[in-house]
C-alpha cells in the first residue's frame, strides 16, 4: 500500500501523513526533508548552491533513515533547499530514492509536493491537502511563537505566498493535485476531522484490495 499526500507548506499534510502511518503501521517519509538534507550537506561542506552537478552528487548520498526534522527545519536550510529543488538532476536523484522507499513493506506514506503526480502516480490512495495562505501563515506564526521564538506574521504570510508561487510555477514537477487525488481543505477543518475523512478513504481502499 502506498499513500501519496501532496499540498503546499503548512497545510497540515505532514501531521496527517505521520498520523496515518502510525495508525496503519506504515513507513513514513517527508520528502521535503530529502531536499533539506541535500541542502544542509552542501552548506556544511561549503559548496555552492547553484552547481547542479555538485548538488546531484550530494543528493545521491542522502541517507533517508537519518533525516532529523528538528535540525532540518531551520529557516536557512529551507531557503537553500528551495534553490536546489528546482534543479532537474537533483529532483531525479531524490525521486529515485523516494520510489525505493515507497516499496517498503507493509506500506508507505509519502508526503511532499509531487508524490501523486510524479513520485508515485500509481499510488492507490492520493490526497491533496490545502488551506488558504492566510490560515497557513497563521499556523506557522503560532508554531514559532509557541516554541518561544519571535515571529512576524506579515513576513511569514509573504513567505508562504512566495513559496506557493515557486512550487506551483516551476517547470519540473510543479505542485498541483493529481487528477485522482482526494481534496482535503483544512482552512476550516481540524486535523482530527481531516484524519477521520482520510482514514475512511484508506479503509475503503484496503477493503477493496483485500
Amino acid at each position: 500500500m502506498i499513500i501519496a499526500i501532496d499540498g503546499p507548506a503548512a497545510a497540515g499534510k505532514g501531521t496527517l501523513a505521520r498520523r496515518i502511518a502510525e495508525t496503519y503501521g506504515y513507513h513514513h517519509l517527508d520528502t521535503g526533508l530529502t531536499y533539506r538534507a541535500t541542502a544542509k550537506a552542501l552548506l556544511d561542506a561549503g559548496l555552492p548552491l547553484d552547481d547542479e552537478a555538485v548538488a546531484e552528487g550530494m543528493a545521491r548520498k542522502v541517507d533517508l533513515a537519518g533525516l532529523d526534522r528538528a535540525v532540518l527545519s531551520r529557516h536557512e536550510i529551507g531557503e537553500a533547499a528551495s534553490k536546489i529543488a528546482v534543479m532537474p538532476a537533483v529532483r531525479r536523484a531524490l525521486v529515485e530514492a523516494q520510489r525505493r522507499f515507497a516499496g517498503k513493506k507493509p506500506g508507505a506514506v509519502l508526503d511532499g509536493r509531487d508524490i501523486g503526480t510524479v513520485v508515485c502516480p500509481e499510488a492507490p490512495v492520493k490526497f491533496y491537502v490545502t488551506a488558504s495562505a492566510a490560515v497557513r501563515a497563521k499556523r506557522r506564526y503560532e508554531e514559532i511563537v509557541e516554541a518561544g521564538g519571535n515571529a512576524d506574521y506579515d513576513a511569514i504570510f509573504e513567505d508562504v505566498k512566495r513559496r506557493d508561487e515557486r512550487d506551483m510555477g516551476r517547470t519540473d514537477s510543479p505542485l498541483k493535485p493529481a487528477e485522482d487525488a482526494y481534496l482535503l481543505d483544512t482552512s476550516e477543518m481540524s486535523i482530527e476531522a481531516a484524519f477521520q475523512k482520510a482514514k475512511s478513504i484508506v479503509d475503503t481502499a484496503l477493503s477493496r484490495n483485500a
Side-chain angles (χ1 to χ4, degrees):
M1 171 58 89
I2 299 171
I3 299 170
I5 304 181
D6 292 306
K13 66 181 181 295
T15 305
L16 183 66
R18 288 191 294 276
R19 183 93 182 264
I20 291 172
E22 197 176 291
T23 300
Y24 294 95
Y26 293 164
H27 303 277
H28 169 242
L29 178 64
D30 174 348
T31 60
L33 293 183
T34 66
Y35 291 93
R36 285 172 173 263
T38 303
K40 182 179 184 297
L42 290 167
L43 291 171
D44 288 351
L47 293 169
L49 296 170
D50 57 359
D51 187 321
E52 190 164 351
V54 170
E56 180 195 4
M58 203 60 91
R60 293 197 177 279
K61 296 177 190 165
V62 169
D63 176 13
L64 300 194
L67 302 173
D68 186 333
R69 174 180 301 278
V71 172
L72 296 174
S73 61
R74 293 207 307 265
H75 181 73
E76 67 274 16
I77 294 175
E79 286 298 300
S82 70
K83 288 174 184 164
I84 61 159
V86 299
M87 297 174 175
V90 171
R91 298 197 74 82
R92 276 195 303 274
L94 292 177
V95 165
E96 284 171 23
Q98 292 158 14
R99 282 179 178 152
R100 287 194 296 273
F101 184 94
K104 286 189 164 197
K105 306 289 185 193
V109 184
L110 286 79
D111 71 86
R113 303 284 197 279
D114 60 350
I115 311 304
T117 53
V118 175
V119 181
C120 300
E122 78 294 347
V125 179
K126 300 173 190 170
F127 296 107
Y128 188 83
V129 184
T130 189
S132 71
V135 166
R136 290 184 286 124
K138 184 170 179 279
R139 286 177 188 162
R140 184 60 51 87
Y141 171 82
E142 288 171 351
E143 221 174 66
I144 295 168
V145 170
E146 280 169 20
N150 293 319
D152 176 338
Y153 170 81
D154 292 330
I156 293 170
F157 181 59
E158 289 306 316
D159 186 50
V160 163
K161 288 198 295 184
R162 248 194 328 271
R163 283 187 67 177
D164 285 354
E165 283 167 20
R166 200 158 51 207
D167 290 338
M168 294 173 187
R170 66 177 176 236
T171 51
D172 191 13
S173 309
L175 169 64
K176 62 180 180 180
E179 285 181 12
D180 54 347
Y182 295 94
L183 181 67
L184 292 174
D185 189 328
T186 65
S187 299
E188 296 179 15
M189 183 192 287
S190 69
I191 194 63
E192 180 60 32
F195 169 71
Q196 292 301 335
K197 174 76 174 164
K199 185 176 182 298
S200 70
I201 291 164
V202 174
D203 287 343
T204 300
L206 286 170
S207 63
R208 258 200 319 265
N209 295 346

